[in-house]
Amino acid sequence: MSNDPFKKPEKDFTETLNEQFVQIDALSKAEYKTGLDKLLLLEKQTRQASDVASSKRVLVKIIDVLVNADDWPLLEEQIVQLSKKHGQLKDSIQSMMKEVIENLDKIKDIDLKIKVIETIRVVCENKIFVEIERAQVTKILSDILLNEKNDLDKACEVLSELQVETYASMELEDKIKYILEQMKLNNMRGDYQFSKILSRKILIRSLEKFWELKLRYYELIIEIAKFENNYEDIVKYNMSIYNIPAVQGDLDGNLKYLKEISNYLILTPYSNLQNDLISRVLINKNLSKLPKEYELIHLFTNEEIISWKEFKTEGLNKDIFNEDTEKGKLHLEDLKKRVIEFNLRMISKYYSSVKLDRLCELVELTQQETEDYIIELVNRGEIHSKIDRPRKIVKFIKTKSENELLNEWSQNIEELLENIEAVQHLITKEEMMAK
């Protein structure tokens, strides 16, 4: 039989079904198999006549009868057999699967529920017309494994096998929801690398219509950035959340993300982008509502040396700077690095040369530590410096590189040749006038 849904049915079984369904409903619960036999006969007739509407009704009724009889093993058997019937109509199978999924909550035995779901997954596998139904039951199965069986690894594995981005029949919003759920489970499992790969399946511009999904997306990739200690990304993602209109309208949420931005911005290594972001945060009117963050930002924008020994860490955000946690210790160490680097940049700005011991005193480091920091900043191009060890002097004068010297020499030669040519032209002019 043809699977063409637009094919005109050879016979309309509407009236027949109306009569038969009344008789089947009149049967007692114990006589459900008698009703099932009648429905299976009707299923064959409607299928062979290509009556899609009637075929849907019959398959849905078969599911209802078996659910009411609480005969789930027979229901599993029937959905497998019915889906394999020659010439079975795709729309009918889809309706049958939807009906089974809607009744899954009636199964109280968790193991039986998992067994029925696995049967549905097998029946729907590699069938494009029921890919959404397979995704739905897979999500249900993942939730059961996570919440009922406490098996995070299996729940994550089951859900992550879905390639929903390839589902043509699924709505964009639903695709994003499934991918976000996959990312969430992988983050919970600690597989941030795979979660990062999943995040690339979502185009940022596709989130503009769904601000709640956009918020969830950025919160999940912030978790990845925090795991990687990528402070710059943490700041950028938090700023993306902060700029969501719905978040800006919520003062508590607004300040929460601004606090994260301020703290991680200070931890971010110096760059033109970091410097620009600090300037933008500094003029934010809500920053004044966060006294400690306001003070921190001002410390790194005032062109004055910061004393680490006098630096008060007790008022810092304990969620980020907590000495009792491994992450907190790392953040405090990075904060100290940013203070030292800031001090060296300020010193290089106002001094052309300074004695090494005095520099060590200013930055509160040993000579070896001071030299190591200077070398690192020079390599990153943040300062220009040379250390004269015999005289113990540090010079902060920019020296020209070989390429710069060659370019300057080349430019001077060009100017010289131009001048010679001009002089030659004047001499020729004078000679002609003399003649």
Side-chain angles (χ1 to χ4, degrees), residues 212-228:
E212 290 178 337
L213 297 182
K214 185 177 183 180
L215 177 61
R216 281 178 58 196
Y217 170 78
Y218 278 115
E219 285 178 342
L220 289 169
I221 57 175
I222 283 171
E223 289 179 16
I224 300 171
K226 284 182 177 179
F227 172 76
E228 297 176 341

Side-chain angles (χ1 to χ4, degrees), residues 222 226 229 231 234-235 238 255-268 290 292-293 296 313-335:
I222 283 171
K226 284 182 177 179
N229 295 313
Y231 302 134
I234 295 173
V235 172
N238 271 294
L255 293 179
K256 170 190 169 184
Y257 294 110
L258 184 59
K259 185 181 287 189
E260 287 254 310
I261 290 166
S262 303
N263 285 292
Y264 282 106
L265 187 53
I266 298 306
L267 292 173
T268 304
L290 302 169
K292 192 60 189 179
E293 281 69 26
L296 261 179
T313 58
E314 59 273 8
L316 296 175
N317 189 329
K318 290 300 177 184
D319 293 334
I320 301 173
F321 304 100
N322 190 345
E323 294 183 70
D324 298 329
T325 64
E326 188 176 338
K327 280 282 184 184
K329 287 178 183 177
L330 175 64
H331 293 157
L332 282 170
E333 289 173 9
D334 287 338
L335 179 60

Side-chain angles (χ1 to χ4, degrees), residues 356-389:
L356 188 55
D357 55 351
R358 173 58 178 159
L359 182 60
C360 293
E361 184 182 338
L362 290 171
V363 295
E364 302 170 354
L365 295 172
T366 64
Q367 180 178 327
Q368 185 59 51
E369 288 173 333
T370 303
E371 289 184 5
D372 289 343
Y373 271 100
I374 291 172
I375 292 168
E376 185 178 347
L377 291 182
V378 168
N379 287 338
R380 278 159 39 184
E382 292 182 25
I383 63 172
H384 300 279
S385 177
K386 281 192 175 182
I387 301 173
D388 188 342
R389 283 198 179 90

Side-chain angles (χ1 to χ4, degrees), residues 207-215 218 237-255 257 285-286:
L207 295 169
E208 296 305 319
K209 298 177 183 177
F210 321 106
W211 73 266
E212 290 178 337
L213 297 182
K214 185 177 183 180
L215 177 61
Y218 278 115
Y237 300 150
N238 271 294
M239 289 196 82
S240 296
I241 294 176
Y242 184 80
N243 291 326
I244 296 174
V247 174
Q248 289 186 337
D250 176 13
L251 182 59
D252 292 337
N254 194 298
L255 293 179
Y257 294 110
K285 61 183 180 181
N286 289 323

Side-chain angles (χ1 to χ4, degrees), residues 167-208:
Y167 292 2
S169 55
M170 184 177 284
E171 295 292 333
L172 176 61
E173 185 178 2
D174 293 330
K175 288 182 183 181
I176 294 171
K177 285 179 180 177
Y178 274 101
I179 296 172
L180 291 178
E181 194 64 27
Q182 291 172 340
M183 288 175 62
K184 173 188 167 186
L185 292 181
N186 278 283
N187 280 5
M188 288 172 65
R189 190 167 65 163
D191 192 352
Y192 293 99
Q193 194 59 42
F194 187 63
S195 185
K196 195 172 185 178
I197 293 169
L198 289 170
S199 70
R200 293 174 186 147
K201 295 180 178 181
I202 299 175
L203 296 176
I204 302 299
R205 64 175 179 271
S206 67
L207 295 169
E208 296 305 319

